[in-house]
Amino acid sequence: MRKLLRHWEFILLILLVGVFILMSNLSPYFLNLRNLLDSTVHFTEKGVIAVCMAFIIISGNMDLSVASNMAMSAAVMGIAFRSGIGIWPSALLCLLVGMAGGLFNGLIITRVKLPAMVATLATFSLYRGIAYVLLGNQAITGYPYEFATLGQGYFPGTNIPNQFVIFIALAVIFGFILHKTTFGRSVYAIGNNEDACRYSGLPVDRIKVILFTVNGLLAGLAAVLLTSRIYSTRPNIALNYELEIITAVVLGGVSIKGGRGSMIGVVLALFLIGASRFGMSLLNIPGQMMTVVIGLMLIIAILLPQLLDRLSGKQGKTA
Amino acid sequence: MSRKRLLVVGVLLVALVFALPAYARDFTIAMVVKGAGNPFFEACRKGGEEATGELGLNFIFQAPATPTSEGQIELIDALIAQQVDAILVSANDPDALVPMLRRAMDRGIIVVAFDSGVAPAGRHLFLNQADMELIGRIQVQMLAEMIDGEGEIAILSATSTMANQNTWIQWMQEELKEPEYAKMDLVAIVYGDDLREKSYNEALGLFRSRPNLKGIISPTTVGLAATARALEDQGLSGKIALTGLGLPSEMAEYIRNGTSEAIALWNPIDLGYVSTYMAHGLLTGTLKGEIGEVVNVGRMGERTITEAADGGLEVVLGAPFVFDIDNIDEWADVY
């Protein structure tokens, strides 16, 4: 049992089951497949970015700019659409702008040798600022009907939101890359000891640039999904998303110091946060209380492994 | 246990069983506001509680922890899932909430927007706090009372392109044409752009360029507070009268020390109260949501459904609420 408890994913699974049992007892509307599936859209946009954020944090880095990057790419998409180039080319442009934002992050981190935290803190302001400069206080609306299918539609013949399908597909792909490829192993290695990786000839900088560029690309994708869901663009979209994404990744068992974590943990953490928030909304628990609960979960996530370590260490000594 | 007592318990149980469906049919009205911990919306909530109490409805109040549309959308999704009967919403964004509110309407939920509206596609009715004409006229009336209807006056507005302010100013000028204001002379309209520093400097400019100035109207909360501070800093409190649209909490000290004897703004309690009655009318079917229909709004009397500027339907709350020395203590803490 103790061995199982050492596996953070197992604890997350128990917590998730616990939340399901608790919430379905407290609210008659919780255990309803359609409601539950509908509620996933509130975390799948964040989840799309979280799958790559996991790589970045495992490699010992951080990206604070993703939400601002979303706003910037969405703003460019809105302006492109308004200029009349059509919605799908505009969406493609959105992905490219997000990717460029990520690439820029990667370049200043590897070329200027700034810590990722500092570099992306700067672009956190920069990208949001660009969104405000581009759009001012105006909103862009009037997207065509077919664009809504992406963020509001369901997978043909089911009640599963398209966004959810996209998120699961990405989680599987990124999980495979993280756990089953040399690229994934190098990411862990960099997180454990970057200098050693450099000396052993691993292309550390190139890997970092790739990670941040892909993270930006996914921010662009999340921006397309969010825009399609709320059907409008404003420079203040996705406020605080970066913190919620990092929260999910860390709650998923990814070590903030790098080198440790798994994709299944991150996915479980997203489900756990999503189910808790949905359940609490159904019980009409005030919004501030929800953030308190999520905060407490995060503290437990960070403390529990250390506590368990200490506990088993003590027992080892006395025995 | 006696047989009699058993019988009583039995009857009570049966009564309960019959009473339950009746209780379950009670309408539930949910209010979703822009953000948590905002005194303005706590006042709206009071109005909603008052009206649901009078009408015998269940009332839910919800606000996202941070004032974002995404947070509101998530809350509205949960309200749809728990099958509430009506949603009253003050939106962080007039467009972003529309898809989710449309889903609510598709599932038979009544949507009434108040305070900050949503686009017509996402609502049944909007409660518009501002009757443009009354808001414009009342500011001239308040100032005329302060300066006995005589002397030079000026307006310190927001930006020159603000639609609301410009419409109010037009109605002020209309009101000034009435014979009782023949001795009042509007000598300047200046724009502080809703920035504190610029508004403050524009006020100073007015004091210098118009030595005979008797009164100022500032139809914007930022401009009003900045002008009040400028008057105090220059020792002109009581020499130049000041009124306009302002937040009681921001203006309390100036009202108490006489820099501005009275200000106006809409009453948030009434906003919550009236929007609840509007939703109730649509729920019970006494309202169909058509232009010209008369809405019963409890202690506030009656209002009529009209076409809004955005093409949707709205109900106008009515005359703004006046705050002065007699009621400012009560309102300063509210919003």
Side-chain angles (χ1 to χ4, degrees), chain B residues 16-298:
Chain B
L16 193 66
V17 167
F18 276 96
L20 268 176
Y23 173 77
R25 269 210 321 275
D26 273 0
F27 291 125
T28 297
I29 294 196
M31 179 183 281
V32 179
V33 301
K34 289 182 177 179
N38 183 332
F40 183 89
F41 292 118
E42 287 301 320
C44 294
R45 172 191 203 160
K46 266 187 217 165
E49 281 167 352
E50 182 188 349
T52 46
E54 287 171 10
L55 295 165
L57 315 171
N58 303 312
F59 184 67
I60 294 172
F61 180 83
Q62 266 294 26
T66 49
T68 61
S69 330
E70 290 92 339
Q72 288 190 305
I73 291 168
E74 192 176 347
L75 292 176
I76 293 169
D77 190 16
L79 291 171
I80 296 172
Q82 55 183 300
Q83 296 160 17
V84 299
D85 298 288
I87 295 173
L88 315 174
V89 60
S90 169
N92 280 315
D93 186 301
D95 305 302
L97 269 63
V98 170
M100 189 52 84
L101 289 173
R102 282 190 70 113
R103 184 195 285 180
M105 289 159 72
D106 285 345
R107 302 207 184 161
I109 296 171
I110 299 294
V111 177
V112 173
F114 70 98
D115 179 53
S116 289
V118 291
R123 69 171 201 245
H124 289 102
L125 288 175
F126 173 52
L127 173 62
N128 188 344
Q129 66 271 33
D131 181 319
M132 291 291 179
E133 177 175 350
L134 291 176
I135 288 177
R137 287 183 187 272
I138 199 168
Q139 295 177 73
V140 173
Q141 292 157 6
M142 289 192 298
L143 189 65
E145 202 168 305
M146 295 173 197
I147 61 172
D148 296 321
E150 209 176 322
E152 289 186 1
I153 64 168
I155 294 171
L156 193 154
S157 185
T159 66
S160 59
T161 53
M162 290 257 189
N164 282 350
Q165 269 79 8
N166 286 347
T167 315
W168 293 328
I169 291 172
Q170 275 172 22
W171 284 113
M172 289 180 205
Q173 287 166 326
E174 209 57 40
E175 177 76 8
L176 282 168
K177 287 179 187 158
E178 305 284 327
E180 63 258 45
Y181 309 111
K183 290 180 183 164
M184 275 166 69
D185 192 9
L186 177 61
V187 293
I189 300 176
V190 295
Y191 300 95
D193 293 351
D194 261 355
L195 301 169
R196 280 179 201 279
E197 276 313 305
K198 181 147 196 291
S199 304
Y200 185 88
N201 290 333
E202 288 294 336
L204 293 185
L206 278 178
F207 306 157
R208 282 191 205 109
S209 62
R210 302 285 169 181
N212 296 323
L213 198 64
K214 283 282 172 292
I216 298 176
I217 296 174
S218 186
T220 155
T221 54
V222 177
L224 185 61
T227 310
R229 211 184 71 202
L231 282 171
E232 248 183 29
D233 290 352
Q234 299 295 312
L236 291 168
S237 297
K239 297 194 179 94
I240 297 177
L242 174 67
T243 189
L245 303 179
L247 288 168
S249 56
E250 239 181 357
M251 294 300 292
E253 57 168 306
Y254 303 114
I255 291 176
R256 291 192 189 112
N257 69 20
T259 302
S260 175
E261 286 172 33
I263 61 167
L265 204 64
W266 29 94
N267 179 333
I269 294 182
D270 291 346
L271 281 180
Y273 183 87
V274 172
S275 49
T276 307
Y277 267 88
M278 286 158 65
H280 183 253
L282 290 170
L283 270 177
T284 53
T286 52
L287 283 184
K288 287 180 186 62
E290 289 164 3
I291 291 180
E293 271 185 304
V294 174
V295 190
N296 160 35
V297 286

Side-chain angles (χ1 to χ4, degrees), chain A residues 110-133:
Chain A
T110 52
R111 298 286 148 84
V112 191
K113 306 276 180 227
L114 274 180
M117 183 82 96
V118 178
T120 58
L121 186 63
T123 51
F124 160 84
S125 300
L126 175 68
Y127 296 162
R128 180 74 67 179
I130 291 175
Y132 272 101
V133 169

